[in-house]
Amino acid sequence: MAPPAPRPADGIDTSRPHSARMYDYYLGGKDWFAADREAAEQVLASFPFMRTVARQNRAFMHRAVRTLARDAGLRQFLDIGTGIPTEPNLHQVVQEVDPACRVVYVDNDPMVLEYADVLLNGDPAGRTAYIEADVLTDAVLDDPRVHEVLDLKQPVALSLVAILHFVPDDADPAGLLGGLLDRLPSGSHLVLSHGTSDFLPEESRRSEEVYRRSGTSARTRSHAEIARFLDGLEVLDPGLVLAHQWRPEEAVELSDAEVSLYGAVARKR
């Protein structure tokens, strides 16, 4: 039996699916409504590995930010497109390395705001903040709450995990990303993951159609197309690879098609 849907909060349209709540459904969460479940099940019928994609995306994020905190010495993280909290959250991962790490979460889904207290429950030695704002514009960097937590004169880790594949080509995702990176100092890093149609093109196309019918743009891209988002950056080893192949901590027996998501970490020179 499916778990009960959450009580709708003010400002949430429960009649239309939302990508963040669909993602929560793939991960086995409970913070979704009937419309989200129905759309997510249509995606799973078209692309049966979507639960695996979501889990591997989450695992990639954990490894990537832990690496930046532990090995690159970063102590500031800006997570854009946060989604509904799923433990461990980004701040829990990096504050395990150093409790003084500071994290700002940004999302435009009112549902995420309902759970902001989870995102703010960080180590008192550090700082966490949540901002409800447009997730892909550099205007977020003008928000005074960002400056209360982050020093933008010092390197920042910018996390764009499973976000750019919701930005269509005519919205200029490369330009949006470039606008954010241009305002961050040298030594900042980008954590990027992005769905791909390289291995199951027809299944990917059908899942994109489900999202579009639900009111969310979706555009999986090839390895070459995603690599262009990294132009001008110093890409850390092992490069732009399938998410489960990025510095794995244990063996993962999955095919390329089951993962269908690329991940990379890159440094701004």
Side-chain angles (χ1 to χ4, degrees), residues 6-269:
R7 179 182 62 82
D10 293 341
I12 295 178
D13 182 356
T14 64
S15 68
R16 297 188 59 174
H18 190 285
S19 59
R21 300 193 298 267
M22 290 169 66
Y23 184 70
D24 183 70
Y25 182 83
Y26 302 142
L27 288 173
K30 64 182 187 305
D31 297 309
W32 41 264
F33 301 101
D36 307 304
R37 181 190 64 236
E38 291 167 10
E41 285 292 345
Q42 290 177 39
V43 170
L44 288 165
S46 303
F47 194 100
F49 302 127
M50 191 58 77
R51 293 189 188 277
T52 299
V53 175
R55 288 193 294 267
Q56 291 304 313
N57 178 66
R58 194 79 188 163
F60 160 75
M61 185 275 285
H62 291 163
R63 296 195 305 276
V65 298
R66 185 183 299 114
T67 295
L68 292 181
R70 182 189 61 212
D71 301 342
L74 268 76
R75 296 295 180 264
Q76 302 192 112
F77 296 80
L78 177 61
D79 184 47
I80 294 185
T82 298
I84 294 167
T86 302
E87 292 197 356
N89 293 291
L90 190 154
H91 71 276
Q92 294 166 312
V93 175
V94 299
Q95 288 180 351
E96 189 175 78
V97 176
D98 184 345
C101 285
R102 297 181 167 217
V103 180
V104 172
Y105 293 105
V106 183
D107 207 292
N108 63 357
D109 178 15
M111 190 75 174
V112 182
L113 181 61
E114 287 294 296
Y115 295 92
D117 58 332
V118 177
L119 299 174
L120 298 174
N121 189 25
D123 195 293
R127 290 280 303 277
T128 61
Y130 173 74
I131 299 171
E132 186 178 359
D134 190 344
V135 297
L136 273 178
T137 169
D138 67 331
V140 69
L141 298 178
D142 296 321
D143 192 301
R145 292 168 294 180
V146 172
H147 296 269
E148 289 173 5
V149 178
L150 305 180
D151 178 1
L152 298 186
K153 296 179 181 178
Q154 299 298 321
V156 174
L158 172 64
S159 173
L160 289 177
V161 172
I163 293 300
L164 288 184
H165 50 230
F166 293 121
V167 182
D169 292 337
D170 59 9
D172 188 18
L176 293 169
L177 173 58
L180 286 162
L181 289 172
D182 284 348
R183 296 187 58 184
L184 298 179
S186 175
S188 293
H189 286 66
L190 170 68
V191 177
L192 175 74
S193 67
H194 195 299
T196 185
S197 54
D198 280 352
F199 307 101
L200 295 170
E202 183 57 28
E203 291 86 343
S204 298
R205 184 194 64 77
R206 291 199 299 266
S207 66
E208 289 174 18
E209 284 299 320
V210 174
Y211 275 100
R212 290 174 189 144
R213 288 197 304 270
S214 301
T216 299
S217 296
R219 168 75 160 86
T220 54
R221 294 180 170 93
S222 68
H223 185 278
E225 290 174 311
I226 299 167
R228 285 198 281 272
F229 293 134
L230 305 171
D231 285 351
L233 301 175
E234 177 187 347
V235 182
L236 276 60
D237 289 337
L240 177 65
V241 296
L242 287 163
H244 68 307
Q245 297 171 353
W246 198 92
R247 304 193 184 188
E249 295 168 350
E250 57 185 24
V252 179
E253 299 298 328
L254 292 170
S255 69
D256 294 351
E258 288 176 281
V259 178
S260 288
L261 180 101
Y262 288 115
V265 178
R267 180 181 184 275
K268 180 177 177 180
R269 298 183 174 92

